[in-house]
Amino acid sequence: MEASFTDKHYELVVACKLGDRQSQFKLYNLYAKAMYNTALRIVQDEAEAADVLQEAFIDAFSRLDSFRQESTFGLWMKQIVVNKSISTLRKRKLELQPLEVGEELADEENSESDVELQVTAIKQAINRLPDGYRLVLTLYLLEGYDHEEIAHILRISEATSRSQYLRGKRKLLDYLAN
C-alpha cells in the first residue's frame, strides 16, 4: 500500500509552473517566514538568513519544472533552504570539532514570564554551541531530520552525526545547568 499525501498548495504550484507571477508571490508569502526561521537557526545571522531565503526561492522557482510534486512544496522548499544554509556555513569553513566558547548568558528583563525566560535561555545556550554541534542538534531536534539524513546533508558519517548530537546535547545541558 502506497502512502498518499495532500499538498494544500498544489494548485498554486501548478500555476507557478505555468509562469503565473501572482502565484509565485502567494507561495513566497506562505513560506517565507518559516523558511527564513529555518535558515536563521542554521546560519545564526539575520542578513545571511535573508540572503539564503532569497537564493532558495530563486532556485526553487527556476527549478520548479523539476519538482514532481511527490512531496509537498513546503518540504521540497525546506530541503533547498537547509542545503543553501549549510553551503553558507561551509563557505565560513565549518569545522565539526568541539570549540571552547566563553560567553555568558545575558540577564533578562524581570517582566518576562518564566516560560519566556526558559525559552530565551535555551536559545542562548544553543547559540553558544560550536557550529558542528549546533547544526546537528538543530537539524535533528528542530527540523526533524534523522541521523542518516543529516549524514547525507553534511557529508559526514552517521556515527559522526550521532556523536555530534550527543556531545552537543551534553554541552547544551551543561550550559543550561550553569
Side-chain angles (χ1 to χ4, degrees):
M1 201 156 127
E2 205 172 290
S4 66
F5 70 93
T6 304
D7 188 352
K8 59 185 175 183
H9 301 116
Y10 177 83
E11 297 301 324
L12 273 177
V13 173
V14 170
C16 287
K17 284 183 175 184
L18 297 173
D20 182 359
R21 294 282 187 195
Q22 285 186 329
S23 294
Q24 285 180 344
F25 185 68
K26 287 178 185 174
L27 265 182
Y28 177 87
N29 285 332
L30 286 168
Y31 288 99
K33 185 175 181 178
M35 297 302 132
Y36 171 80
N37 288 333
T38 296
L40 184 60
R41 281 192 295 270
I42 295 171
V43 299
Q44 296 291 298
D45 180 84
E46 291 178 3
E48 281 184 324
D51 289 345
V52 166
L53 176 71
Q54 296 309 314
E55 290 174 21
F57 271 101
I58 290 168
D59 193 27
F61 288 138
S62 67
R63 295 187 308 137
L64 203 54
D65 57 338
S66 70
F67 177 51
R68 296 183 306 266
Q69 294 182 282
E70 293 171 349
S71 68
T72 64
F73 177 80
L75 181 60
W76 185 67
M77 188 69 214
K78 188 175 190 179
Q79 271 185 299
I80 294 170
V81 169
V82 166
N83 288 334
K84 292 230 176 264
S85 298
I86 291 168
S87 292
T88 298
L89 284 181
R90 283 197 176 112
K91 289 176 188 170
R92 282 196 242 152
K93 304 218 185 296
L94 170 69
E95 296 284 328
L96 290 174
Q97 299 295 325
L99 301 174
E100 294 302 318
V101 180
E103 298 174 8
E104 295 298 321
L105 294 176
D107 292 333
E108 296 298 324
E109 294 180 25
N110 293 332
S111 62
E112 290 183 12
S113 72
D114 286 343
V115 172
E116 289 170 330
L117 283 172
Q118 290 172 353
V119 168
T120 300
I122 291 168
K123 284 180 181 178
Q124 288 176 339
I126 288 172
N127 289 342
R128 289 178 62 200
L129 290 172
D131 283 345
Y133 292 169
R134 183 181 45 75
L135 182 55
V136 171
L137 206 71
T138 298
L139 290 173
Y140 187 82
L141 293 176
L142 302 177
E143 303 303 331
Y145 287 97
D146 63 29
H147 289 292
E148 181 180 358
E149 294 167 321
I150 293 168
H152 178 73
I153 291 168
L154 297 177
R155 295 184 218 137
I156 59 176
S157 70
E158 255 185 86
T160 301
S161 175
R162 291 179 194 285
S163 170
Q164 292 288 310
Y165 169 73
L166 291 173
R167 290 176 184 168
K169 190 167 96 174
R170 276 190 221 118
K171 196 161 192 87
L172 179 63
L173 290 172
D174 286 346
Y175 287 160
L176 292 171
N178 294 327

